């Protein structure tokens, strides 16, 4: 539905632009006919609708576009195109952050985190729901992945709700929303990919994400407070109230996660380590903590490495296919054509930016978030910079849009992860309807960020 509304809006926008005499640049249009671009787009949609693996779809689409639209011998440069991103030092941090999250999950550190948060927040109105959001937010500061955050905290949290009075839709919605914080809160992997594609400082992106992360968490907690008041969710009133001594004792369960956050983010913000080096420190720290808790076993380590290798391979194949496609499109001048066309529209820059945001929200209803970023940033980034928007600010916005995509029905990855983890049977529409209020306030956060860009840009401006 969102995609259909967006397509209609785009048609009205372009139709209105044509009334004002705005035309596609003639030289580029002659070199690449619109019917040819439409054919490539149709093939793109067809591949994804057919369920072809994203990496394979991008590579096949690149070959079709290269042979059909270009007369250059691009096949002579395929090896170089793939080699350049695969040897980038920044990209090494992706499997390291994933491995750290896998070790934390299997070492039981995430369960200790959730238990401690519940001691402090469990008796608030909607207490366990608040615990979901805050625990996911804290875990995101070491995981760097939305799927990892949702899977890890979902496996820990769902047993707490099996005999509770909380509506299943709201429980699943809060966990999905909490999982959506995985990429936004540093050290999110999307920032690394965005920085690699646009040559933007990853450290500056991490600093810029602090303010928006707090904004989104506050909005999520506000949604829970509203539903707690509306549905009269009075927290865990049936349990014994924790004493002051119990609250203080629970802080020991937060120590492992706090140490990892200090080790990973502290070294980045202090300028002592690059994101890649801090990721390696995080893996070493998680191994030490697992060893201290006597959870470090060869089987656990092998399972963590296997899961990390699987996810890393998926990301790498998508990245290589996207680099191949981007090379073909750039050689045809398509990004320049798109940038020129959109910047010449008789509308303010913020209107064009809203169109771009709508484009990503619509695409997120049927496309995986990471693939969406990798395939579209080289096209959209020149448009955004031509409109005068800050690349760091846009990096935060695009990451937020990716997170919305990951909780957007009907194809949000996080939604299916949580549905698969349910021990009590129920339709996936429970997850869809439960996440909608959180998705709407997430969109509101992007609007707030457009009106007040200093929320993202102030901290990098004073720290760097």
């Amino acid at each position: 539905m969102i995609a259909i509304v967006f397509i209609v809006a785009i048609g009205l926008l372009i139709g209105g632009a044509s009334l004002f005499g705005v035309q596609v640049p003639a030289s580029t249009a002659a070199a690449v006919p619109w019917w040819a671009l439409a054919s490539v787009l149709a093939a793109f949609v067809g591949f994804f609708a057919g369920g072809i693996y994203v990496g394979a779809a991008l590579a096949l689409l690149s070959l079709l576009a290269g042979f059909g639209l270009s007369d250059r011998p691009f096949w002579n440069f395929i090896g170089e195109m793939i080699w350049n991103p695969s040897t980038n030092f920044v990209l090494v941090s992706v499997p390291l952050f994933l491995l750290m999250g896998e070790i934390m999950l299997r070492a039981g550190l995430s369960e200790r985190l959730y238990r401690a948060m519940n001691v402090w927040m469990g008796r608030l109105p909607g207490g366990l729901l608040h615990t979901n959001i805050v625990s996911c937010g804290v875990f995101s500061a070491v995981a760097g992945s939305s799927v990892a955050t949702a899977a890890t905290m979902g496996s820990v949290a769902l047993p707490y709700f099996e005999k509770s009075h909380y509506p299943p839709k709201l429980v699943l919605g809060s966990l999905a929303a909490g999982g959506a914080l995985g990429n936004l809160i540093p050290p999110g992997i999307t920032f690394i990919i965005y920085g690699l594609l646009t040559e933007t400082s990853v450290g500056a992106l991490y600093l810029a994400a602090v303010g928006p992360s707090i904004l989104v968490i506050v909005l999520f907690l506000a949604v829970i407070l509203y539903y707690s008041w509306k549905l009269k969710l009075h927290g865990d009133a049936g349990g014994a109230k924790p004493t002051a001594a119990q609250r203080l004792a629970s802080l020991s369960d937060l120590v492992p996660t706090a140490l990892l956050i200090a080790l990973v983010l502290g070294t980045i913000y202090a300028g002592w380590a690059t994101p890649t080096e801090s990721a390696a420190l995080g893996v070493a720290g998680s191994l030490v903590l697992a060893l201290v808790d006597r959870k470090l076993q060869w089987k656990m380590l092998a399972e963590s490495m296997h899961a990390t290798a699987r996810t890393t391979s998926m990301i790498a194949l998508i990245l290589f296919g996207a680099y191949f496609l981007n090379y073909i499109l750039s050689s045809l001048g398509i990004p320049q054509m798109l940038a020129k066309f959109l910047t010449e529209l008789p509308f303010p820059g913020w209107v064009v930016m809203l169109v771009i945001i709508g484009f990503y929200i619509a695409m997120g209803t049927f496309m995986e978030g990471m693939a969406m970023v990798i395939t579209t940033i080289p096209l959209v980034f020149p448009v955004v910079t031509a409109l005068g928007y800050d690349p760091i600010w846009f990096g935060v916005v695009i990451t937020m849009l990716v997170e919305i995509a990951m909780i957007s029905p009907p194809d949000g990855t996080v939604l299916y992860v949580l549905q698969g983890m349910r021990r009590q049977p129920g339709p996936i529409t429970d997850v869809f309807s439960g996440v909608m209020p959180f998705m709407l306030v997430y969109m509101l956060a992007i609007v707030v960020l457009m009106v007040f860009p200093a929320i993202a840009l102030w901290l990098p401006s004073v720290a760097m």
Side-chain angles (χ1 to χ4, degrees), residues 240-319:
K241 182 178 180 180
T243 64
Q246 290 174 325
R247 290 179 184 271
L248 291 175
S250 69
L251 295 178
S252 63
D253 287 331
L254 296 177
V255 171
T257 305
L259 288 175
L260 280 180
I261 292 175
L263 189 62
V264 174
L265 295 183
T267 54
I268 294 176
Y269 292 151
W272 297 340
T274 65
T276 304
E277 293 166 344
S278 68
L281 289 172
V283 172
S286 62
L287 289 172
V288 171
L289 291 173
L291 180 62
V292 171
D293 280 356
R294 299 181 180 179
K295 298 291 182 64
L296 185 60
Q297 302 173 352
W298 284 113
K299 181 180 179 181
M300 182 271 280
L301 195 57
E303 291 175 351
S304 301
M305 290 183 175
H306 182 271
T308 301
R310 184 180 182 87
T311 306
T312 302
S313 300
M314 178 195 68
I315 295 175
L317 288 175
I318 294 174
L319 189 63

Side-chain angles (χ1 to χ4, degrees), residues 23-37 332-333 337:
Q23 301 293 333
V24 178
S27 59
T28 310
V32 185
W34 278 103
W35 64 265
L37 294 179
L332 296 172
M337 176 185 67

